[in-house]
């Protein structure tokens, strides 16, 4: 069956320019994200991964190129007020360092995007109940982030990212601060969520094991997409490691 394209990245470039420096962080990259697809972006440090996520989340503007979301061309989306609205309606962010508000309870942190959207209080509680169940934190709703483990805090961040049911989740090293077992739990939640809610995910990682949870891996090097891998559930880890090794060797040439 043909999958539905949700996001198209068209010839995207980003140049950071300042006094005495010019960095080409993204060099004319193009790819498509499908509905319910998880793409892992793997690459060496400085290869442009975070720059890509920032642009996809309209936190930064590309130098050239465009993004199409649901088929709509959105060239103006990087300017305010469009950028904020685009983020609010389309994007859920998950970061390595959780970014929770420490003075709010778990349920208040999770409800925040709905409060900011101006949703009525009576409609917020059932939504919070729904996502808090999905991430398995029913018994922790009145706790503060500091009372939770790293894995539990990341679950709160995931619940917060999905509560508005955004079509796209952008995750920058979401398991970077977690141990192996906790990482697996978090990645399984992301996979479940993608399957249950048809969300599309772009996940940045430098960890081949994390990349095996994705449907497809894009390999970044020096601002380019230099390779791609479709996960098959067979020997994925070995194949991804092999491809990544080739890229890191390129760097030392
Ligand atoms: P990654 O996330 O893959 O480590 P980044 O996207 O953060 O890479 O960075 C890509 C390149 O752009 C690097 O060379 C980095 O130093 C540079 N860069 C990133 N942000 C800025 C900025 N705000 N100003 C200047 N250079 C930047
Ligand atoms: Mg980065």
């Amino acid at each position: 069956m043909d999958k539905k394209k949700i996001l198209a990245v068209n010839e995207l470039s980003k140049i950071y320019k300042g006094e005495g420096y010019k960095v080409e962080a993204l060099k004319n990259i193009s790819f498509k994200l499908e509905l319910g697809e998880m793409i892992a972006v793997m690459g060496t440090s400085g290869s442009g991964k975070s720059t890509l996520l920032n642009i996809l989340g309209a936190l930064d503007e590309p130098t050239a190129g465009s993004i199409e979301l649901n088929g709509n061309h959105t060239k103006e989306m990087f300017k305010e007020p469009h950028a904020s609205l685009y983020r609010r309606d389309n994007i859920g962010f998950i970061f390595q360092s959780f970014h929770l508000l420490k003075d709010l309870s778990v349920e208040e942190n999770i409800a925040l995007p709905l409060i900011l959207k101006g949703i009525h209080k009576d409609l917020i509680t059932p939504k919070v109940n729904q996502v808090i169940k999905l991430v398995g934190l029913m018994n922790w709703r009145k706790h503060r982030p500091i009372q939770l483990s790293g894995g539990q805090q990341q679950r709160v961040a995931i619940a917060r990212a999905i509560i508005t049911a955004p079509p796209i989740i952008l995750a920058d090293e979401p398991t970077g601060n977690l141990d192996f077992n906790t990482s697996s739990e978090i990645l399984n939640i992301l996979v479940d969520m993608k399957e249950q809610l048809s969300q599309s995910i772009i996940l940045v990682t430098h960890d081949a094991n994390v990349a095996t949870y994705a449907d497809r891996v894009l390999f970044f090097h020096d601002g380019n997409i230099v390779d791609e891998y479709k996960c098959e559930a067979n020997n994925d880890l070995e194949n991804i490691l092999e491809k990544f090794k080739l890229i890191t060797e390129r760097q030392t040439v």
Side-chain angles (χ1 to χ4, degrees):
M1 201 178 71
D2 242 11
K3 279 202 174 175
K4 199 171 154 246
K5 171 191 86 181
I6 179 157
L7 177 79
V9 172
N10 303 316
E11 303 183 342
L12 208 62
S13 298
K14 177 69 181 180
I15 300 175
Y16 295 108
K17 241 194 229 165
E19 199 124 320
Y21 72 90
K22 181 181 166 191
V23 182
E24 281 187 81
L26 292 176
K27 299 174 181 169
N28 209 27
I29 66 157
S30 301
F31 68 93
K32 288 180 173 51
L33 175 70
E34 285 165 354
L35 187 69
E37 184 183 31
M38 188 192 298
I39 290 182
V41 170
M42 265 193 101
T44 45
S45 180
S47 57
K49 306 182 297 294
S50 294
T51 299
L52 172 70
L53 277 207
N54 289 342
I55 293 174
L56 294 182
L59 295 170
D60 201 356
E61 223 179 318
T63 307
S66 65
I67 291 171
E68 286 173 51
L69 187 69
N70 288 321
N72 298 322
H73 211 266
T74 49
K75 228 177 167 53
E76 284 300 302
M77 64 176 253
F78 299 103
K79 311 273 185 229
E80 292 301 345
H82 309 289
S84 298
L85 291 175
Y86 163 86
R87 272 197 297 278
R88 193 192 74 180
D89 294 337
N90 297 297
I91 306 289
F93 288 101
I94 304 170
F95 302 96
Q96 179 171 1
S97 49
F98 321 134
H99 289 201
L100 302 175
L101 296 180
K102 66 174 177 23
D103 295 330
L104 298 186
S105 68
V106 164
E107 62 182 4
E108 288 164 343
N109 266 284
I110 294 173
L112 206 56
L114 294 182
I115 295 168
L116 294 176
K117 243 181 143 161
I119 307 281
H120 193 274
K121 220 170 69 215
D122 295 350
L123 297 173
I124 291 181
T125 310
K127 275 274 162 215
V128 170
N129 288 342
Q130 190 195 347
V131 295
I132 217 167
K133 264 191 210 130
L134 198 67
V135 298
L137 287 176
M138 284 82 76
N139 298 329
W140 299 87
R141 52 194 308 153
K142 301 290 179 199
H143 288 68
R144 309 257 157 200
I146 197 160
Q147 299 172 293
L148 306 182
S149 68
Q152 289 171 323
Q153 290 186 48
Q154 194 58 305
R155 286 165 190 251
V156 177
I158 291 174
R160 183 187 55 189
I162 62 176
I163 196 161
T164 55
I168 298 172
I169 301 285
L170 301 176
D172 202 348
E173 300 275 6
T175 57
N177 281 334
L178 306 175
D179 63 53
F180 184 83
N181 288 333
T182 314
S183 295
S184 307
E185 280 169 31
I186 292 295
L187 290 161
N188 281 321
I189 290 174
L190 289 176
V191 170
D192 280 356
M193 194 181 79
K194 167 190 92 130
E195 280 163 9
Q196 287 183 32
L197 312 174
S198 278
Q199 270 166 328
S200 307
I201 305 176
I202 298 188
L203 178 155
V204 165
T205 183
H206 62 269
D207 182 338
N209 186 59
V210 172
T212 61
Y213 286 80
D215 300 298
R216 202 150 51 102
V217 187
L218 300 180
F219 295 89
F220 273 56
H221 180 63
D222 197 18
N224 290 301
I225 298 175
V226 292
D227 207 347
E228 185 174 334
Y229 177 74
K230 201 169 174 343
C231 292
E232 313 276 5
N234 261 329
N235 303 323
D236 286 336
L237 184 60
E238 292 79 359
N239 294 335
I240 292 167
L241 280 170
E242 180 61 30
K243 281 185 182 283
F244 195 50
K245 189 166 156 258
L246 289 174
I247 292 165
T248 44
E249 281 168 2
R250 262 176 204 240
Q251 199 164 40
T252 55
V253 172

